[in-house]
Amino acid sequence: MIISNKEINIYIKDSNNTEKLPVVILNNFDKQLKEIIEECDKLKVKDFIAVEITRINWNKEMSPWPIEKIFKNEEDYTGEADKYLEELENEIIPKIENILEKNNKKVKYYIISGYSLAGLFALYTGYNTKKFKKIITASGSMWYPNFEEYIRKNKINPNIDSIYFSLGNSEKLSKNPILKTVEEKTKSIEKYLSTFTKTKYEENEGNHFKNTAERIAKGIKWSLEN
């Protein structure tokens, strides 16, 4: 379905026929819901509802504040995460809830998940809304300029129960001087936030683009269990 010019796909994993289920919001660059669900099945993930959102203007809507592009062939990051978050809360999620109610399902709580820049956005939402109870940032763009400083200067919402971080063990090997800081900053942010809520840092084999669906599924599994 299309909501606010975004493509929305919904999957309900409900082996126990329960009325209330956790809902995982997946802000994805491309359609990947099928692969993520397949990986979740392999990991025997608990029942949940997945809501995949695509057709996102990536560098625009997933970035918290403007920065110049870091690669020649990409667009600048225009910093409109707040605008997209407002759209997500006030337009997209209410319509999703209406659809779920028509299918006799209600929301137990929300998890927000994201990969790469959407992982950055996921963590950013923890400071700007009370909508989400848990956060998954898989290979999140913690390299984003001034983001670690933002994390330390502001208070994360106390309703956040857990945050899952993951990273590929060769992501830090980038030739780009900004991207190569990703492991150091991810570990630093995770350690800092562990004093406020339950966190986990998990390292995977490979670079930024390897086994992306599996990495997200691992985050979903852990979040549903913690």
Side-chain angles (χ1 to χ4, degrees):
M1 72 201 74
I2 304 298
I3 302 175
S4 300
N5 295 317
K6 302 291 188 292
E7 184 167 342
I8 312 294
N9 288 296
I10 300 174
Y11 170 83
I12 301 174
K13 182 180 185 294
D14 185 9
S15 59
N16 298 316
N17 195 30
T18 54
E19 182 183 351
K20 285 190 175 183
L21 288 171
V23 175
V24 181
I25 300 292
L26 298 157
N27 289 300
N28 285 348
F29 186 81
D30 292 312
K31 291 181 184 179
Q32 204 178 14
L33 184 59
K34 182 176 181 292
E35 291 83 356
I36 292 170
I37 296 304
E38 287 174 351
E39 293 297 332
C40 285
D41 288 342
K42 291 177 186 177
L43 295 171
K44 298 181 180 179
V45 173
K46 292 181 177 181
D47 290 351
F48 70 102
I49 297 169
V51 176
E52 179 185 56
I53 304 172
T54 56
R55 294 190 187 178
I56 295 168
N57 190 321
W58 206 243
N59 285 21
K60 178 180 179 179
E61 295 176 311
M62 295 289 98
S63 56
W65 47 79
I67 64 168
E68 292 184 357
K69 60 187 177 183
I70 60 174
F71 294 109
K72 290 182 180 179
N73 298 325
E74 71 171 355
E75 298 178 346
D76 288 338
Y77 301 78
T78 57
E80 297 187 37
D82 290 333
K83 183 178 179 181
Y84 173 65
L85 178 57
E86 183 179 355
E87 183 180 87
L88 180 62
E89 278 195 275
N90 298 328
E91 296 179 34
I92 297 175
I93 287 179
K95 290 180 180 178
I96 289 167
E97 289 178 349
N98 287 337
I99 293 165
L100 293 176
E101 285 183 10
K102 289 178 182 178
N103 288 274
N104 299 314
K105 298 296 174 189
K106 292 184 179 179
V107 180
K108 189 173 183 180
Y109 59 84
Y110 281 102
I111 299 172
I112 186 161
S113 171
Y115 196 93
S116 192
L117 198 61
L120 179 85
F121 174 79
L123 186 53
Y124 181 72
T125 67
Y127 289 80
N128 294 280
T129 180
K130 295 180 180 179
K131 176 65 70 174
F132 306 108
K133 190 174 182 181
K134 303 183 180 191
I135 296 170
I136 299 167
T137 170
S139 289
S141 302
M142 301 300 123
W143 52 261
Y144 204 86
N146 300 317
F147 191 70
E148 183 178 358
E149 290 81 358
Y150 176 86
I151 294 297
R152 292 176 179 273
K153 287 180 181 178
N154 295 278
K155 290 184 178 181
I156 196 163
N157 286 322
N159 63 302
I160 299 295
D161 282 351
S162 69
I163 309 173
Y164 174 91
F165 296 83
S166 73
L167 205 63
N169 60 10
S170 62
E171 293 193 51
K172 65 182 178 182
L173 302 179
S174 173
K175 294 180 181 179
N176 185 293
I178 297 176
L179 293 181
K180 71 188 302 180
T181 66
V182 67
E183 183 176 308
E184 176 188 351
K185 290 189 174 183
T186 300
K187 287 180 176 179
S188 177
I189 289 170
E190 184 272 332
K191 183 178 180 180
Y192 174 74
L193 289 176
S194 68
T195 62
F196 301 100
T197 189
K198 188 170 187 176
T199 65
K200 179 179 176 65
Y201 172 79
E202 185 167 15
E203 212 161 89
N204 301 283
E205 288 293 327
N207 61 23
H208 186 67
F209 302 99
K210 186 176 181 181
N211 300 329
T212 59
E214 179 186 357
R215 293 181 188 183
I216 294 171
K218 284 182 178 180
I220 294 173
K221 178 179 173 63
W222 184 86
S223 297
L224 292 173
E225 294 175 355
N226 291 276

